[in-house]
Amino acid sequence: MHNFWDGPLPKAGERTVKDMESVLYNTKSGMDPNTPLYFMYRALSKNERDAKWLEDNYLRYDITVIPANKVGAEFVKTKGHYHPNAPCGRAYPELYQVLGGEAHFLLQNRNLSDICVIRATAGDVVLIPSGYGHVTINPSKDRLVMANIVSCEFESEYEFYGEMHGAAYYELESGFIRNPHYPEGLPDIRVIDSFEIPELGLKHGVPIYSFIGGDILPKYLNVPRILDTVKAPQYQRFLKNQPKIE
């Protein structure tokens, strides 16, 4: 962690095989149920000034570490969750950056009309749009370390992923496989590379921690309707790739 974080580091929370049992492809992998699969360092800040700014702006900076591993044939992943709507009527987004390793961000919207994998490597930024649930997968042989900044104004919703035994697809060594607990007619996964959103200051290689103290993050992370007005071609292209709902 010292290569990725030079501030105070609290004890990590962890998710074990047992914690993840409801969302795994193979619940009888033979792994010790107490084996940790990934680690979460929540509410980080490098100094009191940054901590106060984050608190005053209802934001949280976290780091998650996903060691290279598999549960049976499935790559290790996060549990998966949706975000509820903010008072403005749009679901809260979330900002990620890969600090080390490689990540597959598996996104799905609420009505399952769009399922997408965003591939990202070290330095890449990924904005999870309003209305998308998300799982992060480590598909490589290296440890994945990623940071996120998110509003503190809500609690993540894990229930749907638990009820459906995970996301709409699992990523195995052999590739993506459909989750049989989902209804028929799921769209194929579209796979894209992570993209910058310079209109929001989001550029690969620019640490998202550097936004702390500025005025742009609190606006769209806490009031996501603002994203509807951002004229960002790459971001709008991502959204327009969704199938039209009549």
Side-chain angles (χ1 to χ4, degrees):
M1 278 292 293
H2 296 296
N3 294 332
F4 306 105
W5 180 251
D6 58 2
L9 198 64
K11 180 178 174 59
E14 61 181 42
R15 293 223 191 267
T16 65
V17 172
K18 182 176 178 59
D19 295 329
M20 294 285 288
E21 188 175 25
S22 66
V23 299
L24 295 175
Y25 171 70
N26 181 5
T27 59
K28 299 179 180 179
S29 65
M31 290 184 71
D32 183 333
N34 296 314
T35 301
L37 294 179
Y38 64 97
F39 305 89
M40 303 163 290
Y41 299 90
R42 295 285 175 83
L44 300 179
S45 59
K46 295 184 177 182
N47 52 57
E48 292 184 3
R49 179 195 61 199
D50 291 351
K52 186 176 189 310
W53 184 90
L54 287 162
E55 181 179 0
D56 290 347
N57 287 280
Y58 309 102
L59 296 176
R60 196 182 74 227
Y61 180 90
D62 308 325
I63 291 178
T64 301
V65 179
I66 307 180
N69 202 351
K70 290 188 289 291
V71 181
E74 183 180 15
F75 289 115
V76 172
K77 62 187 179 184
T78 58
K79 196 166 189 178
H81 62 267
Y82 284 97
H83 297 172
N85 283 351
C88 70
R90 292 285 188 274
Y92 289 96
E94 187 165 359
L95 177 59
Y96 279 89
Q97 184 167 44
V98 176
L99 303 180
E102 178 183 351
H104 286 172
F105 293 90
L106 175 55
L107 279 59
Q108 59 187 50
N109 57 4
R110 289 273 189 179
N111 65 12
L112 304 176
S113 65
D114 187 39
I115 301 171
C116 177
V117 169
I118 301 178
R119 299 180 296 203
T121 57
D124 289 358
V125 290
V126 174
L127 178 64
I128 308 297
S130 296
Y132 278 81
H134 54 101
V135 169
T136 308
I137 302 161
N138 180 358
S140 76
K141 296 180 180 179
D142 298 317
R143 177 181 60 166
L144 168 61
V145 182
M146 59 184 179
N148 68 279
I149 300 180
V150 66
S151 175
C152 296
E153 294 283 84
F154 69 92
E155 292 186 5
S156 296
E157 298 173 351
Y158 294 91
E159 292 79 10
F160 181 84
Y161 281 86
E163 292 169 1
M164 301 301 289
H165 301 274
Y169 289 84
Y170 301 107
E171 186 170 11
L172 312 183
E173 293 177 277
S174 56
F176 286 98
I177 183 171
R178 184 182 175 279
N179 182 340
H181 296 92
Y182 279 68
E184 296 292 335
L186 287 179
D188 293 334
I189 296 178
R190 58 188 179 104
V191 180
I192 64 173
D193 291 324
S194 59
F195 54 89
E196 299 180 333
I197 311 177
E199 296 81 2
L200 297 175
L202 300 180
K203 296 183 178 181
H204 298 329
V206 176
I208 61 173
Y209 192 91
S210 67
F211 292 114
I212 292 174
D215 62 357
I216 190 168
L217 281 184
K219 291 180 179 178
Y220 69 84
L221 290 182
N222 287 320
V223 189
R225 185 176 287 275
I226 288 174
L227 289 172
D228 296 345
T229 66
V230 174
K231 295 181 179 179
Q234 285 274 43
Y235 180 72
Q236 293 301 324
R237 190 174 299 120
F238 171 86
L239 296 178
K240 289 177 182 178
N241 276 340
Q242 300 179 46
K244 184 178 180 181
I245 304 301
E246 300 295 344

